[in-house]
Short mmCIF file of all heavy atoms in Angstrom, two decimals:
data_model
loop_
_atom_site.label_atom_id
_atom_site.label_comp_id
_atom_site.label_asym_id
_atom_site.label_seq_id
_atom_site.Cartn_x
_atom_site.Cartn_y
_atom_site.Cartn_z
N LEU A 6 3.59 -10.79 3.21
CA LEU A 6 4.35 -9.90 2.31
C LEU A 6 3.45 -8.89 1.60
O LEU A 6 2.28 -9.19 1.22
CB LEU A 6 5.02 -10.69 1.31
CG LEU A 6 5.67 -9.84 0.13
CD1 LEU A 6 7.06 -10.36 -0.16
CD2 LEU A 6 4.85 -9.86 -1.13
N SER A 7 3.86 -7.53 1.62
CA SER A 7 3.18 -6.65 0.84
C SER A 7 4.08 -5.57 0.21
O SER A 7 5.24 -5.30 0.74
CB SER A 7 2.04 -5.89 1.62
OG SER A 7 1.13 -5.40 0.76
N GLY A 8 3.65 -4.97 -0.82
CA GLY A 8 4.43 -3.95 -1.52
C GLY A 8 3.71 -2.70 -1.68
O GLY A 8 2.47 -2.79 -1.83
N MET A 9 4.38 -1.59 -1.90
CA MET A 9 3.70 -0.31 -2.13
C MET A 9 4.50 0.41 -3.24
O MET A 9 5.76 0.41 -3.07
CB MET A 9 3.71 0.55 -0.92
CG MET A 9 2.49 1.48 -0.83
SD MET A 9 2.65 2.54 0.65
CE MET A 9 1.88 1.65 1.89
N ARG A 10 3.79 0.84 -4.23
CA ARG A 10 4.53 1.66 -5.25
C ARG A 10 4.92 2.97 -4.58
O ARG A 10 4.26 3.60 -3.88
CB ARG A 10 3.64 1.89 -6.46
CG ARG A 10 3.76 0.76 -7.49
CD ARG A 10 2.61 0.97 -8.46
NE ARG A 10 1.35 0.99 -7.90
CZ ARG A 10 0.20 1.33 -8.57
NH1 ARG A 10 0.24 1.66 -9.79
NH2 ARG A 10 -0.91 1.41 -7.98
N TRP A 27 -0.51 -3.01 8.36
CA TRP A 27 0.89 -3.50 8.39
C TRP A 27 1.37 -3.61 9.87
O TRP A 27 2.09 -4.42 10.23
CB TRP A 27 1.75 -2.61 7.63
CG TRP A 27 1.57 -2.89 6.02
CD1 TRP A 27 0.57 -3.42 5.33
CD2 TRP A 27 2.44 -2.41 5.07
NE1 TRP A 27 0.82 -3.33 4.02
CE2 TRP A 27 1.96 -2.66 3.75
CE3 TRP A 27 3.69 -1.68 5.08
CZ2 TRP A 27 2.58 -2.41 2.58
CZ3 TRP A 27 4.36 -1.38 3.91
CH2 TRP A 27 3.79 -1.72 2.64
N PHE A 39 7.91 -4.15 1.09
CA PHE A 39 8.88 -3.62 0.15
C PHE A 39 8.40 -2.46 -0.67
O PHE A 39 7.09 -2.34 -0.88
CB PHE A 39 9.47 -4.63 -0.81
CG PHE A 39 8.52 -5.23 -1.67
CD1 PHE A 39 8.63 -4.74 -3.07
CD2 PHE A 39 7.54 -6.23 -1.35
CE1 PHE A 39 7.68 -5.21 -3.93
CE2 PHE A 39 6.58 -6.64 -2.37
CZ PHE A 39 6.77 -6.18 -3.65
N VAL A 40 9.34 -1.77 -1.31
CA VAL A 40 8.93 -0.63 -2.28
C VAL A 40 9.00 -1.22 -3.59
O VAL A 40 9.99 -1.67 -4.13
CB VAL A 40 10.11 0.54 -2.10
CG1 VAL A 40 9.75 1.56 -3.11
CG2 VAL A 40 10.30 0.96 -0.54
N ALA A 41 7.83 -1.17 -4.29
CA ALA A 41 7.73 -1.78 -5.61
C ALA A 41 8.15 -0.65 -6.64
O ALA A 41 7.31 -0.28 -7.43
CB ALA A 41 6.22 -2.23 -5.79
N HIS A 44 7.50 -1.78 -10.21
CA HIS A 44 6.10 -1.56 -10.55
C HIS A 44 5.78 -0.06 -10.89
O HIS A 44 4.97 0.12 -11.76
CB HIS A 44 5.18 -2.12 -9.48
CG HIS A 44 4.92 -3.60 -9.52
ND1 HIS A 44 5.52 -4.49 -8.67
CD2 HIS A 44 4.23 -4.35 -10.42
CE1 HIS A 44 5.23 -5.72 -8.84
NE2 HIS A 44 4.41 -5.62 -10.02
N GLN A 82 12.51 -3.34 -3.94
CA GLN A 82 12.31 -4.49 -4.95
C GLN A 82 13.43 -4.53 -5.87
O GLN A 82 14.12 -5.60 -6.12
CB GLN A 82 11.05 -4.26 -5.79
CG GLN A 82 10.68 -5.21 -6.77
CD GLN A 82 9.46 -4.74 -7.60
OE1 GLN A 82 9.37 -3.50 -7.81
NE2 GLN A 82 8.61 -5.62 -7.95
N GLN A 113 -7.07 0.42 -16.12
CA GLN A 113 -6.01 1.51 -16.19
C GLN A 113 -5.63 1.96 -17.53
O GLN A 113 -5.28 3.20 -17.69
CB GLN A 113 -4.66 0.94 -15.47
CG GLN A 113 -4.89 0.57 -14.15
CD GLN A 113 -3.88 1.22 -13.21
OE1 GLN A 113 -3.57 2.44 -13.43
NE2 GLN A 113 -3.28 0.53 -12.29
N TYR A 130 2.46 -6.61 -15.42
CA TYR A 130 2.52 -6.12 -14.08
C TYR A 130 2.13 -7.21 -13.12
O TYR A 130 2.93 -7.37 -12.14
CB TYR A 130 1.44 -4.95 -14.07
CG TYR A 130 1.47 -4.19 -12.71
CD1 TYR A 130 2.00 -2.89 -12.62
CD2 TYR A 130 0.92 -4.73 -11.56
CE1 TYR A 130 1.83 -2.18 -11.45
CE2 TYR A 130 0.81 -4.08 -10.33
CZ TYR A 130 1.34 -2.73 -10.30
OH TYR A 130 1.26 -2.05 -9.16
N LEU A 133 5.00 -9.72 -12.44
CA LEU A 133 6.05 -9.33 -11.53
C LEU A 133 5.60 -9.34 -10.11
O LEU A 133 6.30 -9.72 -9.16
CB LEU A 133 6.43 -7.88 -11.91
CG LEU A 133 7.45 -7.22 -11.08
CD1 LEU A 133 8.82 -7.90 -11.04
CD2 LEU A 133 7.77 -5.75 -11.55
N GLN A 134 4.27 -9.00 -9.92
CA GLN A 134 3.74 -8.99 -8.56
C GLN A 134 3.75 -10.45 -8.07
O GLN A 134 3.98 -10.77 -6.86
CB GLN A 134 2.36 -8.48 -8.55
CG GLN A 134 1.67 -8.35 -7.18
CD GLN A 134 0.58 -7.31 -7.06
OE1 GLN A 134 0.43 -6.44 -8.03
NE2 GLN A 134 -0.17 -7.37 -6.07
N ALA A 135 3.49 -11.44 -8.87
CA ALA A 135 3.39 -12.81 -8.50
C ALA A 135 4.87 -13.19 -8.09
O ALA A 135 5.05 -13.92 -7.13
CB ALA A 135 2.99 -13.73 -9.60
N ASP A 137 7.08 -11.25 -6.86
CA ASP A 137 7.42 -10.66 -5.57
C ASP A 137 6.78 -11.52 -4.44
O ASP A 137 7.48 -11.68 -3.45
CB ASP A 137 6.63 -9.32 -5.44
CG ASP A 137 7.01 -8.22 -6.45
OD1 ASP A 137 8.17 -8.36 -6.88
OD2 ASP A 137 6.18 -7.30 -6.67
N ILE A 138 5.64 -12.08 -4.60
CA ILE A 138 4.93 -12.75 -3.57
C ILE A 138 5.54 -14.10 -3.34
O ILE A 138 5.89 -14.47 -2.18
CB ILE A 138 3.43 -12.75 -3.91
CG1 ILE A 138 2.88 -11.46 -3.96
CG2 ILE A 138 2.68 -13.62 -2.90
CD1 ILE A 138 1.39 -11.35 -4.50
N VAL A 146 -1.04 -12.13 1.90
CA VAL A 146 -0.80 -10.92 1.20
C VAL A 146 -1.81 -9.86 1.49
O VAL A 146 -2.92 -9.88 0.93
CB VAL A 146 -0.71 -11.17 -0.33
CG1 VAL A 146 -0.26 -9.90 -1.14
CG2 VAL A 146 0.08 -12.32 -0.67
N PRO A 147 -1.50 -8.93 2.36
CA PRO A 147 -2.50 -7.86 2.80
C PRO A 147 -2.57 -6.90 1.53
O PRO A 147 -1.55 -6.31 1.17
CB PRO A 147 -1.92 -7.16 4.00
CG PRO A 147 -0.38 -7.55 3.98
CD PRO A 147 -0.29 -8.85 3.20
N VAL A 148 -3.71 -6.77 1.02
CA VAL A 148 -3.91 -5.81 -0.10
C VAL A 148 -5.36 -5.16 -0.03
O VAL A 148 -6.22 -5.67 0.68
CB VAL A 148 -3.86 -6.49 -1.51
CG1 VAL A 148 -2.41 -6.80 -1.83
CG2 VAL A 148 -4.70 -7.72 -1.61
N GLY A 149 -5.50 -4.17 -0.74
CA GLY A 149 -6.77 -3.47 -0.87
C GLY A 149 -7.52 -4.24 -1.85
O GLY A 149 -6.99 -5.02 -2.63
N ASP A 151 -8.76 -3.46 -4.63
CA ASP A 151 -8.38 -3.27 -6.02
C ASP A 151 -7.25 -4.16 -6.50
O ASP A 151 -7.13 -4.34 -7.68
CB ASP A 151 -7.81 -1.80 -6.17
CG ASP A 151 -6.61 -1.48 -5.38
OD1 ASP A 151 -6.67 -1.73 -4.10
OD2 ASP A 151 -5.60 -1.17 -5.87
N GLN A 152 -6.54 -4.68 -5.48
CA GLN A 152 -5.37 -5.65 -5.85
C GLN A 152 -5.87 -7.14 -5.91
O GLN A 152 -5.01 -8.06 -6.14
CB GLN A 152 -4.27 -5.45 -4.96
CG GLN A 152 -3.53 -4.05 -5.05
CD GLN A 152 -2.93 -3.99 -6.41
OE1 GLN A 152 -2.13 -4.77 -6.63
NE2 GLN A 152 -3.10 -2.91 -7.06
N HIS A 155 -4.97 -9.27 -8.82
CA HIS A 155 -3.51 -9.68 -8.96
C HIS A 155 -3.16 -10.83 -8.07
O HIS A 155 -2.32 -11.63 -8.46
CB HIS A 155 -2.67 -8.44 -8.56
CG HIS A 155 -2.79 -7.30 -9.64
ND1 HIS A 155 -2.30 -6.07 -9.35
CD2 HIS A 155 -3.39 -7.25 -10.75
CE1 HIS A 155 -2.64 -5.26 -10.43
NE2 HIS A 155 -3.16 -6.07 -11.28
N VAL A 156 -3.73 -10.86 -6.87
CA VAL A 156 -3.40 -11.94 -6.02
C VAL A 156 -4.08 -13.26 -6.59
O VAL A 156 -3.43 -14.39 -6.50
CB VAL A 156 -3.97 -11.74 -4.60
CG1 VAL A 156 -3.69 -12.92 -3.62
CG2 VAL A 156 -3.30 -10.46 -3.96
N1 LIG B 401 0.54 -3.71 -7.09
C1 LIG B 401 0.53 -3.27 -5.74
C2 LIG B 401 -0.12 -1.85 -5.61
O1 LIG B 401 -0.16 -1.12 -6.55
C3 LIG B 401 1.95 -3.05 -5.19
C4 LIG B 401 2.64 -4.43 -5.11
C5 LIG B 401 3.60 -4.91 -5.94
C6 LIG B 401 2.39 -5.48 -4.29
N2 LIG B 401 4.00 -6.06 -5.63
C7 LIG B 401 3.26 -6.61 -4.62
C8 LIG B 401 1.41 -5.73 -3.24
C9 LIG B 401 3.22 -7.79 -3.95
C10 LIG B 401 1.32 -6.96 -2.60
C11 LIG B 401 2.31 -7.87 -2.90
O2 LIG B 401 -0.66 -1.56 -4.57
#
Side-chain angles (χ1 to χ4, degrees):
L6 171 136
S7 199
M9 209 187 270
R10 274 172 299 173
W27 285 14
F39 72 96
V40 180
H44 277 108
Q82 182 186 36
Q113 296 237 41
Y130 186 109
L133 181 57
Q134 186 159 344
D137 299 336
I138 295 170
V146 186
V148 286
D151 61 307
Q152 291 292 312
H155 294 168
V156 179

